[in-house]
């Protein structure tokens, strides 16, 4: 039997891969088309709302389960309805066009993932290989937050309860490690009233940026709209303490035998009922703090430690059972509570029901518009009428008996349709003037009113005779209330009430101090934990302000006094000739000459613009100096070139030979052929000291003129100084000025840059302040154009290095 080796064709693997990718793409397209609302409704992506609505009506009639008995009719009807919900809303439609989002509660891109996972399921793909769950757990699905939902629901609700938000993302290994602790914390804090939220960093990038969360995992606390990051180890105790620290301080007042009377009597000032919790624990429970935070605008909360020896009289007076937590609620009567509950396992639901049923005093004072809206709501239906019996009184001691009598009357005439309240005339003058028809009165008045619209329109009737608290006044008010029950048209007058003043609002300075305190805490927290991404705008603003401030101070300190004073024009001389007038007129178009010389240092930044890319016709006069000779040479240089600073084609710079020591040798080597042709000696080129050399550089035409330091000494006619010339300088001088005298030629040769020979002791000891003695004459020849020009094939760079063998 002959065995043959079957050889696979080299194209077999690519063909199988192509088939696999084709099947994959078909599955993805099929999954996407099944969930495409445009294809379900049979409209194009550019269809208008009218076309979408028309297609929906036709398909809804066709697939309605009551009319179509097809087993698939119900599923198709749900798909059609869901598709219309998406496309009829512009925001949902835009989300689907961008991300393929099918559900507003579903994160962007989940529909595609579901189709892809369905394909995985058909190929038995197991995500547990990567140690990731196949789908989101209860937290990722139940508490997932979206940008619109956060701003519309969570942010306003944070003023009533704190929120604990986790920022997570897919493929986050650290998120998996904290997941067990997070679940235990949610199960503990959510029943207490803490809001829970989860933000997916991959799908809700806009919400994450709003919260300032740029990495996962992150845990955020949200209270009163303020975002605070959690920075400790993720444990259940730390998270619980984090939520407790976010709550405002002094939510619950500690009550003892010494201060309980003052606490209960404060209802007149605070205009709120008082709740007192008696418990065996020495600290205030978190459940009680959360309840106090939720109802802080309506009720005051106090706590009594039953184990404290300073509370025995308080416990004995109210006969408190020490074996179970007890809550007492007081209103105007401070000796007897109006409601009481006692339970071993105090639940949040029990507390909410207990407090919400007693949010107001029996006769509360109208101190703001919100309280007025809740006590006296607008009439909606005939059977839901709410009448508000309002006492307009004063806050002096003389009005206390009448106010007390009104409270007694309200206590014995409580009905669901009646709400009793009072208002101080001095505090709410616009409201009182509208009800009393601008009639100033000193005696208290009782007004019965019914709100008819949100705009402030009310129907009302004043009780005749005023209110003194007598039995006759009580009988008259009771009689009119009975008539009102029988005949709702009894309220014959109408008025439009203005919005009430907020008597409890803090003054501006207190609001500003609170805002500044929160802002400082936020900055401290960001600095402490290096949240630099959020701090960069603030730090940039601070440093910019400091830079502008100190920069202005430094400029003013170093500026000369004469610079800020305007220079007065000199009076014209009487003997001014016509030539002076004509020359002045010819130069009047030039800018005025400055009283200082602008000298720029050639660095890596300014080198290109000041030399290589210098405009045609412009020359940069560069002084070469060192650190030791910088100050002396710059002063001498500015003095010599000051008369030429008004020329617009000249620029003045300096080059530090200590920083860029290779630039001068590189420049001279590039012109070595030309200099040897002109007769320069190599000794001059190899001179290591270039301090005091001046170069006139023409960047466009690539040539320069060189000035070398010349020692002049005290006697300008010294024979030694006059006879020490290089052959190259004498030859240049004679060739340029054959018609001039011999002394003129020698003077010019010195200005061209002749240096003394090495044999001269005076030539090698040129002092710094004498190196630029002849620079003014050299500048004159530069302006005349009679200086020799040395051509450069290319300008060397400032960072160019030279080999050690070529350096002198």
């Amino acid at each position: 039997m002959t065995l043959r080796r079957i050889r696979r064709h080299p194209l077999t693997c690519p063909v199988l891969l192509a088939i696999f990718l084709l099947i994959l793409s078909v599955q993805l397209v099929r999954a996407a088309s099944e969930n495409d609302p445009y294809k379900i409704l049979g409209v194009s992506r550019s269809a208008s709302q009218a076309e979408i609505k028309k297609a929906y009506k036709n398909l809804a009639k066709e697939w309605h389960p009551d009319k179509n008995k097809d087993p698939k009719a119900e599923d198709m009807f749900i798909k059609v309805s869901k598709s219309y919900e998406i496309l009829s809303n512009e925001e949902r439609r835009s989300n689907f066009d961008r991300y393929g989002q099918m559900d507003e509660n579903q994160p962007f891109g989940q529909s595609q993932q579901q189709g892809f996972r369905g394909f995985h399921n058909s190929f038995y793909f197991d995500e547990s290989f990567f140690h990731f769950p196949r789908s989101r757990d209860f937290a990722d699905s139940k508490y997932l937050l979206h940008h619109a939902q956060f701003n519309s629901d969570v942010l306003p609700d944070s003023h009533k309860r704190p929120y604990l938000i986790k920022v997570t993302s897919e493929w986050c290994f650290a998120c998996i490690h904290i997941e067990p602790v997070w679940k235990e914390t949610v199960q503990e804090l959510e029943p207490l009233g803490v809001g829970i939220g989860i933000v997916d960093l991959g799908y809700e990038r806009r919400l994450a940026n709003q919260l300032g969360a740029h990495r996962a995992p992150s845990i955020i606390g949200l209270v009163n709209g303020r975002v605070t990051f959690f920075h400790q180890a993720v444990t259940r105790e730390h998270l619980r303490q984090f939520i407790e620290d976010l709550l405002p301080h002094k939510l619950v007042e500690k009550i003892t035998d010494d201060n309980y009377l003052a606490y209960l009597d404060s209802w007149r000032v605070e205009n709120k009922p008082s709740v007192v919790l008696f418990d065996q624990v020495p600290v205030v429970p978190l459940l009680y703090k959360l309840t106090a935070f939720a109802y802080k605008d309506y009720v005051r909360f106090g706590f009594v430690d039953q184990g404290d020896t300073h509370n025995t009289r308080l416990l004995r007076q109210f006969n408190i059972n020490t074996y179970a937590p007890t809550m007492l609620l007081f209103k105007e009567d401070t000796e007897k509570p109006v409601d009481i509950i006692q339970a071993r396992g105090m639940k949040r639901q029990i507390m909410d029901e207990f407090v919400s049923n007693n949010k107001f005093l029996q006769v509360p004072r109208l101190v703001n518009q919100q309280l007025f809206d809740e006590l006296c709501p607008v009439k909606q239906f005939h059977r839901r009428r709410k009448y508000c019996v309002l006492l307009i009184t004063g806050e002096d001691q003389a009005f206390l008996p009448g106010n007390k009598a009104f409270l007694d009357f309200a206590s014995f005439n409580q009905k669901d349709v009646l709400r009793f309240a009072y208002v101080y005339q001095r505090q709410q003058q616009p409201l009182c003037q509208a009800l009393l028809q601008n009639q100033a009165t000193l005696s208290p008045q009782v007004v019965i009113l019914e709100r008819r619209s949100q705009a402030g329109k009310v129907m009302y009737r004043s009780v005749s005779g005023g209110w003194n608290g007598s039995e006759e006044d009580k009988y008259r008010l009771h009689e009119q209330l009975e008539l009102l029950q029988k005949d709702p048209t009894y309220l014959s007058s109408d008025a439009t009430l203005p919005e009430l003043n907020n008597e409890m609002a803090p003054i501006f300075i207190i609001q500003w101090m609170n805002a500044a305190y929160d802002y400082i805490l936020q900055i401290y927290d960001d600095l402490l934990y290096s949240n630099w991404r959020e701090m960069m705008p603030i730090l940039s603003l601070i440093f910019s302000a400091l830079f502008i401030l100190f920069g202005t101070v430094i400029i003013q300190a170093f500026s000369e006094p004469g610079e800020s004073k305007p220079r007065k024009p000199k009076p014209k001389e009487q003997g001014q000739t016509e030539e002076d007038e004509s020359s002045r007129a010819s130069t009047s178009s030039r800018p005025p000459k400055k009283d200082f010389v602008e000298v720029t240092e050639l660095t890596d930044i300014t080198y290109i613009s000041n030399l290589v890319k210098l405009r045609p016709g412009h020359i940069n006069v560069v002084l070469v100096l060192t650190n030791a000779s910088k100050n002396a040479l710059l002063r001498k240089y500015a003095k010599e070139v000051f008369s030429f600073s008004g020329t617009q084609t000249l620029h003045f710079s300096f080059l530090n030979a200590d920083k860029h020591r290779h630039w001068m040798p590189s420049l001279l080597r590039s012109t070595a052929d030309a200099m040897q042709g002109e007769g320069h000696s190599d000794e001059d080129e190899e001179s290591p000291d270039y301090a005091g050399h001046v170069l006139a550089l023409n960047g466009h035409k690539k040539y320069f003129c060189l000035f070398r330091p010349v020692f002049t000494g005290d006697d300008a006619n010294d024979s030694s100084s006059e006879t020490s010339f290089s052959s190259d300088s004498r030859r240049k001088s004679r060739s340029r000025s054959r018609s001039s005298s011999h002394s003129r030629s020698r003077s010019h040769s010195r200005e061209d840059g002749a240096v003394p020979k090495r044999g001269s002791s005076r030539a090698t000891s040129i002092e710094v302040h004498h190196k630029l003695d002849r620079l003014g004459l050299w500048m004159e020849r530069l302006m005349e154009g009679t200086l020799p020009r040395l051509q450069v094939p290319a300008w060397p760079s400032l960072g160019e290095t030279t080999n050690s063998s070529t350096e002198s």
Side-chain angles (χ1 to χ4, degrees):
M1 183 176 181
T2 304
L3 297 178
R4 294 183 180 181
R5 178 178 295 179
I6 300 175
R7 307 179 67 181
R8 290 188 176 182
H9 197 275
L11 296 178
T12 303
C13 292
V15 170
L16 293 177
L17 180 61
I19 295 174
F20 175 77
L21 293 177
L22 180 61
I23 296 175
L24 176 63
S25 61
V26 170
Q27 290 284 344
L28 291 177
V29 170
R30 183 179 302 173
S33 60
E34 291 178 357
N35 295 324
D36 191 350
Y38 292 100
K39 292 187 177 181
I40 293 175
L41 294 181
V43 296
S44 63
R45 289 186 173 268
S46 59
S48 62
Q49 289 294 334
E51 296 174 351
I52 294 174
K53 188 175 182 180
K54 182 178 180 181
Y56 165 71
K57 288 184 177 180
N58 295 333
L59 292 175
K61 293 179 181 178
E62 178 182 356
W63 295 102
H64 197 281
D66 295 340
K67 298 181 180 180
N68 195 328
K69 302 303 180 182
D70 192 339
K72 298 181 181 180
E74 184 176 358
D75 295 338
M76 191 61 187
F77 182 76
I78 294 175
K79 286 186 177 181
V80 170
S81 302
K82 191 65 177 179
S83 301
Y84 178 71
E85 290 180 4
I86 295 173
L87 299 184
S88 61
N89 188 296
E90 293 296 338
E91 183 178 358
R92 298 178 185 175
R93 184 178 181 180
S94 177
N95 289 339
F96 178 81
D97 293 339
R98 293 181 180 179
Y99 313 106
Q101 181 184 359
M102 286 291 293
D103 190 357
E104 62 177 354
N105 295 325
Q106 175 183 357
F108 297 151
Q110 187 172 345
S111 59
Q112 293 89 334
Q113 291 181 1
Q114 287 179 353
F116 193 65
R117 288 171 181 170
F119 175 75
H120 286 168
N121 294 334
S122 64
F123 280 85
Y124 304 101
F125 181 77
D126 189 6
E127 294 178 350
S128 62
F129 177 77
F130 296 100
H131 304 285
F132 283 93
R134 293 178 59 86
S135 60
R136 295 187 182 275
D137 57 6
F138 75 102
D140 290 336
S141 58
K142 181 180 179 181
Y143 304 107
L144 205 62
L145 296 180
H146 304 281
H147 184 265
Q149 173 197 1
F150 176 82
N151 289 280
S152 61
D153 300 333
V154 176
L155 205 58
D157 194 43
S158 66
H159 294 270
K160 296 181 181 179
R161 63 170 175 168
Y163 272 82
L164 190 65
I165 302 174
K166 182 183 70 171
V167 180
T168 183
S169 66
E170 297 182 358
W171 310 100
C172 173
F173 292 95
C175 302
I176 299 177
H177 288 297
I178 69 172
E179 191 65 27
V181 180
W182 173 260
K183 288 183 179 180
E184 294 178 359
T185 306
V186 170
Q187 293 173 0
E188 177 187 1
L189 296 182
E190 188 180 17
L192 302 182
V194 178
I196 305 297
I198 291 180
V199 177
D200 195 309
L201 196 61
Y203 297 128
E204 287 294 334
R205 177 67 62 178
R206 184 168 57 165
L207 178 55
N209 292 335
Q210 179 180 345
L211 294 174
H214 306 286
R215 60 183 179 181
S218 296
I219 297 179
I220 298 174
L222 180 68
V223 173
N224 290 330
R226 178 187 171 190
V227 174
T228 306
F229 280 83
F230 176 77
H231 298 289
Q232 298 180 357
V234 182
T235 62
R236 188 171 62 178
E237 293 76 13
H238 288 168
L239 290 173
R240 180 188 177 96
Q241 187 63 38
F242 174 64
I243 288 295
E244 193 166 353
D245 293 339
L246 290 178
L247 297 175
H249 299 289
K250 298 183 179 180
L251 276 174
V252 180
E253 186 175 350
K254 205 67 175 293
I255 306 300
T256 61
D257 290 343
D258 300 330
N259 64 350
Y260 83 95
L261 290 177
Y263 170 77
L264 296 178
D265 285 336
S266 62
W267 65 268
R268 293 185 175 86
V269 179
E270 298 292 338
N271 195 39
K272 298 176 182 178
S274 301
V275 175
V276 182
L277 173 65
F278 295 83
D279 203 346
Q280 291 283 356
V281 294
V283 296
V284 183
L286 179 59
L287 174 61
Y288 193 59
K289 287 185 177 180
L290 294 172
T291 307
F293 180 71
Y295 296 95
K296 62 182 182 299
D297 296 332
Y298 302 98
V299 182
R300 300 175 66 243
F301 291 83
F303 176 75
V304 178
D305 180 12
Q306 296 181 0
D308 193 352
T309 57
H310 297 84
N311 299 326
T312 54
R313 186 179 64 180
L314 188 61
L315 299 175
R316 186 170 54 254
Q317 179 177 351
F318 295 106
N319 194 18
I320 301 300
N321 184 3
T322 58
Y323 296 100
T326 306
M327 290 181 65
L328 305 181
L329 192 141
F330 297 86
K331 292 187 177 180
E332 286 88 350
D333 190 358
T334 59
E335 297 181 358
K336 183 180 179 181
V338 296
D339 202 353
I340 179 174
I341 59 171
Q342 190 175 37
R344 289 187 179 275
M346 195 73 72
K347 304 286 186 181
R348 178 60 190 269
Q349 183 179 2
I350 299 175
M351 285 189 174
D352 288 342
E353 184 178 358
F354 177 73
V355 178
S356 60
N357 292 335
N358 299 278
K359 290 196 304 182
F360 307 108
L361 297 171
Q362 292 183 357
V363 184
R365 178 164 60 95
L366 299 183
V367 293
N368 51 44
Q369 186 65 32
Q370 179 184 358
L371 183 60
F372 185 46
D373 294 339
E374 295 191 35
L375 286 175
C376 305
V378 178
K379 184 193 76 169
Q380 298 179 354
F381 304 101
H382 179 73
R383 295 182 179 181
R384 296 184 181 180
R385 290 181 178 273
K386 294 288 184 181
Y387 299 104
C388 192
V389 183
L390 184 62
L391 172 64
I392 302 176
T393 182
E395 50 190 321
D396 298 335
Q397 293 292 333
F399 297 96
L400 291 181
N403 298 343
K404 181 65 169 58
F406 187 77
L407 175 61
D408 296 338
F409 179 85
S411 301
F412 289 102
N413 293 274
Q414 291 184 358
K415 296 181 180 180
D416 293 338
V417 296
L418 295 179
R419 294 289 178 88
F420 292 87
Y422 70 101
V423 63
Y424 287 150
Q425 185 175 0
R426 187 174 62 87
Q427 300 289 345
Q428 303 291 343
Q429 290 185 3
L431 174 69
C432 299
Q433 290 177 0
L435 292 176
L436 300 178
Q437 298 180 356
N438 297 325
Q439 296 178 2
T441 177
L442 297 178
S443 60
Q445 298 287 331
V446 176
V447 179
I448 306 173
L449 59 89
E450 181 186 15
R451 298 185 64 192
R452 294 298 180 89
S453 68
Q454 292 288 351
K457 183 179 180 181
V458 297
M459 302 297 295
Y460 73 98
R461 186 186 184 103
S462 300
V463 179
S464 60
W467 178 265
N468 294 322
S470 61
E471 294 297 330
E472 183 180 356
D473 293 339
K474 294 181 181 179
Y475 178 77
R476 189 185 307 111
L477 177 59
H478 185 271
E479 184 180 15
Q480 296 196 16
L481 291 176
E482 291 292 336
L483 293 175
L484 180 64
Q485 295 290 331
K486 297 177 182 179
D487 185 12
T489 61
Y490 180 72
L491 304 180
S492 57
S493 303
D494 62 340
T496 301
L497 302 182
E499 187 172 351
L500 273 68
N501 301 325
N502 190 1
E503 301 178 19
M504 296 299 178
I507 59 178
F508 172 75
I509 186 64
I510 301 298
Q511 294 179 355
W512 184 86
M513 291 176 62
N514 293 334
Y517 176 75
D518 293 339
Y519 193 66
I520 292 173
L521 285 181
Q522 182 179 0
I523 294 178
Y524 173 76
D525 184 72
D526 293 339
L527 288 175
L528 183 62
Y529 297 102
S530 301
N531 194 358
W532 297 109
R533 186 174 300 204
E534 294 183 1
M535 287 299 299
M536 282 305 296
I538 302 175
L539 294 177
S540 176
L541 179 62
I542 294 175
F543 282 112
S544 300
L546 292 177
F547 177 78
I548 295 173
L549 177 62
F550 287 103
T552 305
V553 173
I554 292 173
I555 291 174
Q556 292 180 355
F558 286 93
S559 62
E560 297 181 1
E563 295 181 5
S564 58
K565 297 181 180 179
R567 303 182 63 183
K568 297 182 180 180
K570 297 182 179 180
K572 295 182 180 180
E573 299 180 358
Q574 297 180 357
Q576 190 175 22
T577 59
E578 295 180 359
E579 294 179 0
D580 296 337
E581 291 290 345
S582 60
S583 63
R584 184 181 298 273
S586 63
T587 60
S588 61
S589 60
R590 296 182 180 180
K593 187 188 297 183
K594 300 178 181 179
D595 55 356
F596 61 92
V597 181
E598 294 182 358
V599 183
T600 306
E601 182 180 3
L602 287 184
T603 61
D604 296 334
I605 300 176
T606 61
Y607 181 73
I608 300 298
S609 60
N610 288 3
L611 177 59
V612 179
K613 294 185 178 180
L614 201 63
R615 289 177 293 178
H618 288 245
I619 295 177
N620 197 342
V621 183
V622 181
L623 167 66
V624 182
L625 48 79
T626 59
N627 292 329
S629 62
K630 180 177 180 180
N631 296 331
L633 287 180
L634 280 178
R635 286 195 294 268
K636 184 70 174 178
Y637 178 69
K639 181 179 179 181
E640 293 292 332
V641 302
F642 175 73
S643 58
F644 304 93
S645 60
T647 307
Q648 297 183 359
T649 57
L650 288 183
H651 307 274
F652 301 96
S653 306
F654 71 91
L655 178 74
N656 195 329
D658 292 339
K659 297 180 181 179
H660 313 284
R661 62 180 182 275
H662 301 298
W663 187 80
M664 279 292 292
S666 300
L667 180 66
L668 295 178
R669 277 197 308 273
S670 64
T671 59
D673 297 338
M675 294 180 68
Q676 290 176 3
E678 294 292 338
H680 283 280
S681 62
D682 296 339
E683 295 178 355
D684 294 336
E685 294 179 8
E686 295 176 358
S687 177
D689 184 16
Y690 296 105
H693 287 63
V694 181
L695 301 92
L697 308 175
N698 191 317
H700 182 69
K701 293 186 178 181
K702 295 184 179 179
Y703 73 83
F704 68 93
C705 302
L706 179 64
F707 170 83
R708 305 193 182 202
V710 179
F711 179 77
T712 59
D714 297 334
D715 187 4
N717 298 323
D718 194 345
S719 60
S720 63
S721 62
E722 291 179 358
T723 58
S724 300
F725 309 108
S726 64
S727 59
D728 137 274
S729 301
R730 288 197 301 269
R731 186 162 58 248
K732 288 183 183 180
S733 174
R734 288 195 298 270
S735 63
R736 285 193 304 269
S737 54
R738 297 179 182 274
S739 61
S740 61
S741 62
H742 181 66
S743 61
R744 175 70 174 174
S745 176
R746 291 195 175 197
S747 175
H748 287 182
S749 66
R750 288 172 181 257
E751 298 159 11
D752 292 344
V755 297
K757 294 180 180 180
R758 290 182 180 271
S760 175
S761 61
R762 303 182 65 184
T764 58
S765 61
I766 302 176
E767 297 183 7
V768 176
H769 62 278
H770 285 307
K771 288 190 174 184
L772 301 179
D773 286 346
R774 294 296 184 95
L775 182 60
L777 299 176
W778 184 82
M779 288 292 300
E780 291 181 1
R781 296 194 57 199
L782 175 66
M783 300 302 296
E784 294 173 359
T786 58
L787 290 177
R789 301 177 178 179
L790 303 179
Q791 296 293 330
V792 180
W795 297 110
S797 62
L798 287 183
E800 183 178 350
T801 59
T802 57
N803 298 328
S804 59
S805 62
T806 61
E807 291 182 356
S808 58

